[in-house]
Amino acid sequence: MVTLVWDYLREYEAERDDILEAVDRVFSSGRLVMGDSVAGFEQEFAAYHGTSHAIGVDNGTNAIKLALQALGVGPGDEVITVSNTAAPTVVAIDAVGATPVFVDIDPDTYLMDLSQVEAAVTERTRCLLPVHLYGQCVDLDTLTELADRHHLVLMEDCAQAHGARHRGRVAGSVGEAAAFSFYPTKVLGAYGDGGAVVTDDDEVAANLRRLRYYGMEKSYYVVETPGHNSRLDEVQAEILRRKLARLDDYVAARQRVAARYAEALAGTDLALPTTVADGSHVYYLYVVRHPRRDDILARLREYGIHLNVSYPWPVHTMSGFAGLGYRPGSLPHTERAADEIFSLPMYPSLPVEVQDEVVDALREVLVAL
């Protein structure tokens, strides 16, 4: 068999009545765009994060892009972030005309190495953009102090960390703004694309609402500042309202899957996930590491098990960003991780028998290396 890294069908079977009721509610409402479902989800999503505002948009990439624009980040500015991330983080920075500046990662957590950030600050630096990767939060205390001292904007990329917490604070509740993706694979996933930005800043929120709607606010026919068509779909918003109420259950289920992996793979020479001190891990991905990663993946394919690597190509090595001037070896921990990490199947409805199949095959491969 071919093992699925991610699958939603078992979850859909369990939640089908609720999902279809959500769709019917929107179709029967008489309002298919920017109606009560978007407004309701925004209120509930903001409440979950303890923020004053949530602004729904069409996808996670535009959540980052529009948030940067709303914060005043643009051409000539530099944004400090990491290269070990999904490309959309950096694509969004480029889309507003800013320049991404990369720092290396901590080799144990794969999160931004905070000790390198201050040295990367220049007179052009405008924004710090940490990525809460794989399901856990960067420690933002250091970045908050640094941002305040250098008068920088702090924005969180929370696309992989719905519900994760650090020192009691939920991901997205610390920076001036935080961007989320609701791509179907996410911890809180829609049945299609979607995204949102949360913020406590009234002006940033107002800017975002204009930017997602052509730049209009008071009238459909009056553009106050050029914007985009980046609205969250009403159907996806209603589905997300239902799923938001189950978010903590999804997180608990992922943590149970992770605990089974940790127990079953203890004693092997795989490097298993490390949880940040004072933090919780929601396991968007279960990322393991081995210096013979490629051999392991090749042998697992002989068992019919195909696994993913997130991410095999750091952004600074991609041809599309060659103009940034980074060379091989410039981010050694990032580059080494890209050669050694891989992800085991991880989703709340992962069948125990599938997990056991992966673990048994993996243990056999490791012994045979």
Side-chain angles (χ1 to χ4, degrees):
M1 65 173 288
V2 176
T3 300
L4 294 173
V5 174
W6 175 81
D7 178 51
Y8 72 93
L9 293 176
R10 285 171 62 96
E11 180 181 290
Y12 176 62
E13 182 179 352
E15 300 180 357
R16 183 176 185 273
D17 290 346
D18 196 31
I19 299 301
L20 294 182
E21 181 183 314
V23 174
D24 183 67
R25 176 175 179 173
V26 173
F27 287 176
S28 301
S29 70
R31 181 77 179 272
L32 298 178
V33 178
M34 297 296 289
D36 291 342
S37 293
V38 168
F41 174 69
E42 289 176 337
Q43 292 171 4
E44 292 154 14
F45 198 65
Y48 182 90
H49 293 89
T51 58
S52 301
H53 307 278
I55 299 89
V57 296
D58 54 344
N59 57 65
T61 308
N62 279 338
I64 299 173
K65 176 188 174 185
L66 299 183
L68 288 170
Q69 286 184 274
L71 290 164
V73 179
D77 294 332
E78 293 178 346
V79 178
I80 298 175
T81 190
V82 290
S83 181
N84 180 42
T85 183
T89 304
V90 185
V91 168
I93 296 170
D94 180 75
V96 301
T99 300
V101 174
F102 300 118
V103 296
D104 212 347
I105 59 171
D106 179 285
D108 295 320
T109 64
Y110 313 118
L111 300 172
M112 175 182 277
D113 183 347
L114 303 183
S115 69
Q116 297 190 17
V117 176
E118 185 147 30
V121 174
T122 72
E123 61 181 15
R124 293 177 57 196
T125 305
R126 179 74 177 89
C127 177
L128 306 180
L129 181 48
V131 180
H132 299 317
L133 197 70
Y134 300 150
Q136 60 178 337
C137 299
V138 176
D139 181 348
L140 294 183
D141 289 347
T142 298
L143 290 184
T144 299
E145 187 275 330
L146 193 155
D148 290 344
R149 184 153 37 87
H150 290 276
H151 308 291
L152 304 176
V153 171
L154 176 60
M155 178 181 154
E156 303 173 62
D157 180 344
C158 302
Q160 301 186 14
H162 306 78
R165 285 170 167 78
H166 186 260
R167 297 197 177 113
R169 300 175 298 188
V170 66
S173 64
V174 178
E176 279 88 339
F180 292 82
S181 168
F182 304 124
Y183 188 74
T185 61
K186 303 300 184 184
V187 180
L188 178 61
Y191 277 68
D193 277 315
V197 180
V198 298
T199 182
D200 275 325
D201 190 306
D202 295 345
E203 183 178 353
V204 170
N207 287 341
L208 280 161
R209 292 190 177 98
R210 285 190 293 268
L211 286 168
R212 72 168 176 190
Y213 195 58
Y214 308 112
M216 301 173 183
E217 183 175 14
K218 298 177 182 177
S219 169
Y220 177 78
Y221 298 101
V222 179
V223 172
E224 300 187 19
T225 183
H228 312 269
N229 179 7
S230 299
R231 300 167 298 209
L232 177 62
D233 181 77
E234 187 78 356
V235 171
Q236 299 300 342
E238 186 60 35
I239 292 172
L240 286 165
R241 294 183 74 180
R242 314 299 180 93
K243 297 190 72 176
L244 178 60
R246 297 188 284 269
L247 175 56
D248 291 343
D249 293 334
Y250 297 145
V251 168
R254 287 174 178 270
Q255 290 171 337
R256 287 193 294 271
V257 172
R260 293 191 79 248
Y261 276 134
E263 181 179 5
L265 295 171
T268 69
D269 56 354
L270 280 178
L272 302 181
T274 299
T275 301
V276 174
D278 300 321
S280 66
H281 204 315
V282 300
Y283 296 101
Y284 168 61
L285 297 174
Y286 192 88
V287 176
V288 298
R289 182 171 186 168
H290 196 282
R292 294 186 63 182
R293 186 268 310 280
D294 291 344
D295 291 335
I296 292 170
L297 295 183
R299 296 190 187 191
L300 285 173
R301 286 193 288 271
E302 297 174 5
Y303 288 80
I305 297 172
H306 297 248
L307 302 181
N308 279 352
V309 177
S310 298
Y311 301 93
W313 301 286
V315 178
H316 74 282
T317 69
M318 297 179 182
S319 59
F321 294 101
L324 295 175
Y326 290 88
R327 298 289 180 263
S330 57
L331 300 171
H333 290 306
T334 297
E335 293 166 32
R336 184 178 175 189
D339 290 335
E340 297 181 354
I341 60 175
F342 61 104
S343 302
L344 305 186
M346 169 57 73
Y347 49 96
S349 59
L350 178 66
V352 170
E353 59 271 20
V354 172
Q355 187 177 14
D356 287 344
E357 178 189 4
V358 172
V359 167
D360 291 345
L362 183 54
R363 290 186 69 95
E364 289 181 20
V365 167
L366 291 170
V367 169
L369 283 179

